[in-house]
Amino acid sequence: MHEASLPVDQAPSSAAIAVRSLQAHEHARWDAFVEACPEATFFHRAGWQTIMEQGFRHDSHFLYAEQDGRIAAVLPLAHVRSRLFGSSLVSLPFCVYGGIAGGSPAVRLALDEAALALARRLGVGHLEYRWREVEEDASENANACWLHKPLYATFRRPLHPDAEQNLLAIPRKQRAVVRKAMAGGLHSAIDYDLQRFYPIYAASVHRLGTPVFARRHFALLRAVFGDACEILTVYHGQQAQASVLLFYFRDEVLPYYGGGTPLARSTGANDFMYWESMRRACARGYRLFDFGRSKLCTGAWDFKKNWGFTPQPLPYAYQLVRAKALPEINPLNPKYALFIRAWRRLPLPLANLLGPHIVRQLG
């Protein structure tokens, strides 16, 4: 933990509210709150503190507001320091959702003020909350000017208890691709190591021109989250053609990191992989499929819409601290086009060696 940078027991709005920094022995208490909090997501879990610190070597500042001896709201934050892209305080890097979960307006304001004070003390360029839904509380802070930019949408939809009904809910053209993959002899299995997943995923992101996470990142995810983190791989015979790492949270399933081989497009393995994620989750009693975020009007956005999912814009909020403008660190920024083309040309072993050192700075 990095308690020294955060004065504890702050009470910015009420003497009955104290903002504290999460300690290692409090993880179970934090997670019990997250499990019961309707606004909380998988990315509010305490295990992400371990991922941030051990996996990415970023200082974490997991704050919670305590009232009457109980946790009333949580705000997981991590400090990303990058020579390439500047410094930021984010809830939460490498995660699609974040921000404050739980609490009354006064409690949320206390956490908000503590986060802003921390951001100023750290001298970051900006503070970022990755809200999943529109939040009004942040704008109530007269000392903050929260900015927004339309860049991402998320795709979430309930699962029917009957698998066949979920298949029929897929639009006809996309459903035909899934049925063709079934008829072509594809099958899926749960993997218990990274042997098949990581090479497929690394090669897939390399073709996109994106630096890859280190293998140890995925090993750490599985160690930290246990049964809530699973790998599903699609095979044709004995040949692995697509693989995805899924997260499970309450009654939701989130296929989070996925990739396919060059053959996967022609065989429909990528499509079958997501169908199998749905089917298997449905059979286990999960009731919501979270297809994750995609950038507006990109190929991934279109792919998810073709599955019958309705995009829900993600209202990420930014508070400029030292920066003069909102960050534009994404592959759609034309200034990164040359880097993306050059990265695709790198030999895969070299890209896999260099990628983890770059990607940790992106957040």
Side-chain angles (χ1 to χ4, degrees):
M1 311 311 146
H2 299 272
E3 190 79 20
S5 63
L6 175 71
V8 298
D9 296 337
Q10 298 182 58
S13 300
S14 166
I17 302 170
V19 174
R20 306 184 189 279
S21 185
L22 177 67
Q23 303 299 300
H25 68 276
E26 298 178 304
H27 278 209
R29 181 185 180 217
W30 173 294
D31 277 343
F33 173 83
V34 167
E35 186 71 23
C37 177
E39 298 91 3
T41 72
F42 181 80
F43 305 100
H44 286 88
R45 290 188 55 177
W48 288 100
Q49 186 175 54
T50 304
I51 303 300
M52 294 300 138
E53 297 196 344
Q54 295 185 18
F56 295 111
R57 301 190 304 281
H58 293 319
D59 293 345
S60 71
H61 303 274
F62 276 44
L63 310 182
Y64 66 90
E66 190 174 61
Q67 200 168 26
D68 296 326
R70 298 180 180 180
I71 294 179
V74 298
L75 174 59
L77 292 158
H79 182 197
V80 179
R81 285 173 288 201
S82 168
R83 293 182 179 179
L84 297 174
F85 307 109
S87 174
S88 58
L89 185 63
V90 185
S91 180
L92 195 61
F94 312 102
C95 299
V96 295
Y97 309 134
I100 300 169
S104 66
V107 167
R108 296 165 76 87
L109 186 58
L111 275 174
D112 189 43
E113 290 178 345
L116 285 168
L118 176 62
R120 294 182 182 116
R121 192 156 50 250
L122 294 174
V124 300
H126 69 275
L127 169 67
E128 177 180 350
Y129 290 170
R130 296 184 176 177
W131 298 116
R132 189 176 68 193
E133 299 174 354
V134 175
E135 295 289 339
E136 301 297 334
D137 293 340
S139 64
E140 294 177 4
N141 186 348
N143 298 319
C145 179
W146 291 95
L147 304 175
H148 303 267
K149 62 178 179 179
L151 181 60
Y152 296 104
T154 190
F155 296 77
R156 292 160 56 83
R157 192 175 72 191
L159 288 173
H160 194 280
D162 179 60
E164 184 63 22
Q165 293 301 312
N166 291 317
L167 185 60
L168 294 174
I170 303 171
R172 181 178 58 83
K173 186 176 180 180
Q174 186 65 48
R175 187 168 66 248
V177 176
V178 175
R179 290 196 184 278
K180 181 179 178 181
M182 293 177 181
L186 296 181
H187 61 96
S188 70
I190 302 301
D191 280 342
Y192 297 95
D193 57 40
L194 301 172
Q195 181 179 345
R196 284 158 290 278
F197 165 80
Y198 189 76
I200 291 174
Y201 178 76
S204 186
V205 299
H206 180 250
R207 289 193 296 273
L208 295 173
T210 303
V212 71
F213 292 100
R215 182 188 290 262
R216 66 177 176 274
H217 169 63
F218 301 102
L220 186 59
L221 285 172
R222 289 174 58 77
V224 169
F225 295 117
D227 292 343
C229 178
E230 187 173 81
I231 293 174
L232 182 148
T233 301
V234 170
Y235 296 85
H236 186 267
Q238 297 299 312
Q239 182 187 50
Q241 293 194 354
S243 192
V244 61
L245 185 145
L246 307 109
F247 295 137
Y248 295 94
F249 179 68
R250 293 196 291 238
D251 63 346
E252 304 178 16
V253 57
L254 302 85
Y256 203 66
Y257 298 105
T261 67
L263 279 175
R265 182 180 294 272
S266 60
T267 63
N270 286 326
D271 306 83
F272 184 72
M273 175 179 72
Y274 290 117
W275 163 246
E276 282 293 277
S277 300
M278 285 186 191
R279 184 189 66 78
R280 286 173 173 268
C282 173
R284 290 163 58 177
Y286 290 90
R287 292 294 174 257
L288 194 144
F289 190 87
D290 188 323
F291 226 148
R293 77 177 187 187
S294 292
K295 298 177 184 69
L296 305 186
C297 303
T298 59
W301 159 288
D302 291 334
F303 177 77
K304 293 170 185 179
K305 285 185 67 177
N306 290 341
W307 277 73
F309 284 71
T310 301
Q312 305 166 38
L314 287 170
Y316 290 0
Y318 305 82
Q319 165 69 14
L320 300 183
V321 180
R322 288 192 173 182
K324 303 300 182 183
L326 290 176
E328 294 290 346
I329 307 171
N330 71 82
L332 300 182
N333 188 337
K335 69 184 289 187
Y336 298 122
L338 182 61
F339 171 85
I340 291 171
R341 289 196 297 270
W343 194 264
R344 286 170 175 161
R345 295 190 181 100
L346 282 180
L348 182 58
L350 180 58
N352 287 350
L353 178 65
L354 299 177
H357 301 286
I358 296 174
V359 76
R360 66 173 295 274
Q361 302 182 57
L362 295 173

